């Protein structure tokens, strides 16, 4: 039986892996800050990501890189709302990448079909925004807060603890009325995790997949790829990003979040034919 991820008016088939294209409307994101921080260049970039095969457009207005300055909800909304409005009603669902319930609410009203909350729906107000709409949700695990999350993160068993948290948060959402087929989970690579924690999560990804929700993996350009390869410049971490995406999909990930959409789509197409 085919599985789907229900996101507002979209029913995304999970028979093939989906690429979520990253559109950061920020001046300070770790890998592409400042490249698309005015609405005109953000829209051009989003159009390009769709043309390259993005199945979802993930629009974010606040950088969550370690040590980033928090942003007010009003300032975040001013950045993202025009871009969300432009792509709402296009051929692919718009995902709003935010930790703020107010921003999520306004973007859902402007036509977003997915709420991608890196704080994992800890805020009751965010759960209520999800429950009072029909959008899809991404529940991500983050240890602590962006400002301090990389200060000596510790786990006894990172995979069990992250998996347990994701299951608990998915249960909270379901209890509030969010249908199970609207929920995807994400172990949150780099969010309160050392290199070893990230590797353990990727190596034991099937344990997260077994929880029964579609799994999203976002390794693209992340620092741990630089730690492995010695490549300092995030935009030059394409090879590592592609391998992490292929690895994740071959171990059951349903969605990969990527900056380099065309190259990721191409790699997944070849992997899929080889696996036939
Ligand atoms: N990582 C980032 C942002 N959003 N969403 C999910 N679901 N999972 C992730 O791992 C994730 C995410 C950070 O990456 P990026 O958007 O490239 O950078 P920044 O936070 O600096 O804008």
């Amino acid at each position: 039986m085919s599985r789907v991820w229900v996101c507002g008016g979209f029913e995304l088939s999970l028979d093939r892996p989906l690429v979520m294209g990253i559109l950061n409307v920020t001046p300070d994101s770790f890998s592409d800050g400042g490249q698309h921080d005015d609405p005109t260049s953000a829209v051009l970039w989003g159009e390009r990501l769709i043309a390259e095969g993005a199945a979802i457009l993930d629009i974010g207005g606040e950088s969550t890189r370690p040590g980033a300055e928090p942003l007010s909800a009003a300032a975040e909304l001013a950045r993202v709302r025009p871009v969300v409005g432009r792509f709402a009603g296009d051929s692919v669902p718009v995902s709003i990448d935010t930790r703020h319930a107010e921003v999520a609410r306004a973007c859902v009203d402007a036509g977003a079909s997915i709420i991608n909350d890196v704080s994992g729906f800890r805020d009751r107000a965010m759960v209520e925004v999800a429950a009072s709409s029909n959008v899809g949700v991404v529940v991500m695990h983050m240890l602590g807060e962006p400002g301090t999350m990389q200060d000596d993160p510790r786990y006894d068993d990172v995979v069990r603890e992250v998996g347990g948290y994701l299951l608990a948060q998915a249960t909270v959402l379901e209890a509030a009325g969010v249908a199970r087929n609207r929920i995807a989970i994400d172990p949150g690579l780099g969010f309160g995790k050392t290199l070893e924690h990230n590797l353990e999560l990727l190596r034991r990804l099937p344990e997260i997949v077994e929880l029964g929700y579609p799994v999203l993996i976002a390794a693209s350009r992340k620092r741990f790829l630089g730690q492995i390869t010695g490549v300092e410049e995030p935009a030059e971490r394409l090879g590592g990003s592609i391998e992490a995406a292929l690895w994740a999909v071959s171990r059951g990930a349903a969605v990969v979040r990527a900056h380099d959409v065309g190259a990721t789509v191409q790699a997944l197409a070849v992997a899929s034919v080889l696996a036939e």
Side-chain angles (χ1 to χ4, degrees):
M1 199 186 71
S2 283
R3 288 177 72 208
V4 292
W5 181 22
V6 177
C7 302
F10 292 85
E11 287 200 358
L12 301 177
S13 166
L14 301 174
D15 292 344
R16 291 204 177 267
L18 303 172
V19 176
M20 172 188 258
I22 301 172
L23 182 46
N24 284 324
V25 194
T26 56
D28 58 347
S29 286
F30 78 95
S31 74
D32 56 359
Q35 285 179 26
H36 330 291
D37 63 340
D38 70 276
T40 311
S41 60
V43 166
L44 284 174
W45 191 251
E47 286 169 350
R48 175 170 165 179
L49 297 182
I50 294 174
E52 288 181 354
I56 302 166
L57 212 51
D58 190 40
I59 300 175
E62 181 195 38
S63 173
T64 46
R65 79 190 145 76
E69 284 296 312
L71 188 71
S72 77
E76 184 185 344
L77 190 55
R79 286 182 188 168
V80 292
R81 193 172 18 202
V83 188
V84 169
R86 154 62 186 84
F87 287 106
D90 209 312
S91 55
V92 304
V94 168
S95 160
I96 175 69
D97 184 344
T98 186
R99 303 185 286 150
H100 299 119
E102 206 179 318
V103 175
R105 172 85 270 161
C107 289
V108 169
D109 290 345
S113 301
I114 298 173
I115 301 172
N116 174 21
D117 178 7
V118 299
S119 64
F121 292 83
R122 292 177 202 176
D123 179 359
R124 188 67 211 174
M126 192 64 115
V127 173
E128 276 154 23
V129 176
S132 64
S133 68
N134 62 354
V135 299
V137 297
V138 180
V139 183
M140 198 198 82
H141 175 274
M142 167 167 66
L143 188 71
E145 296 294 328
T148 51
M149 66 191 178
Q150 289 305 106
D151 300 347
D152 194 22
R154 286 171 196 241
Y155 303 84
D156 288 327
D157 180 332
V158 66
V159 180
R160 285 178 66 95
E161 287 169 50
V162 167
Y165 174 86
L166 294 174
L167 199 53
Q169 293 306 95
T171 306
V172 166
L173 283 158
E174 285 179 51
V178 178
R180 191 184 168 91
N181 63 5
R182 291 170 49 198
I183 303 175
I185 57 175
D186 175 355
L189 299 176
F191 284 83
K193 282 130 196 145
T194 62
L195 169 61
E196 274 312 318
H197 295 142
N198 292 321
L199 295 176
E200 189 75 3
L201 284 162
L202 284 169
R203 290 188 181 121
R204 290 169 56 198
L205 192 58
E207 293 175 46
I208 303 286
V209 172
E210 268 168 26
L211 298 174
Y213 297 88
V215 172
L216 184 150
I217 290 291
S220 185
R221 299 186 181 179
K222 281 196 173 159
R223 194 166 75 92
F224 78 98
L225 299 174
Q227 290 174 285
I228 297 169
T229 58
V231 177
E232 294 281 336
E233 173 52 46
E236 289 170 13
R237 296 177 186 152
L238 176 60
S241 303
I242 298 273
E243 170 48 20
L246 292 175
W247 173 280
V249 163
S250 72
R251 278 149 188 87
V255 187
V256 288
R257 182 177 177 277
H259 298 86
D260 302 285
V261 167
T264 309
V265 167
Q266 193 182 116
L268 288 171
V270 174
S272 135
V273 169
L274 289 171
E276 274 170 13

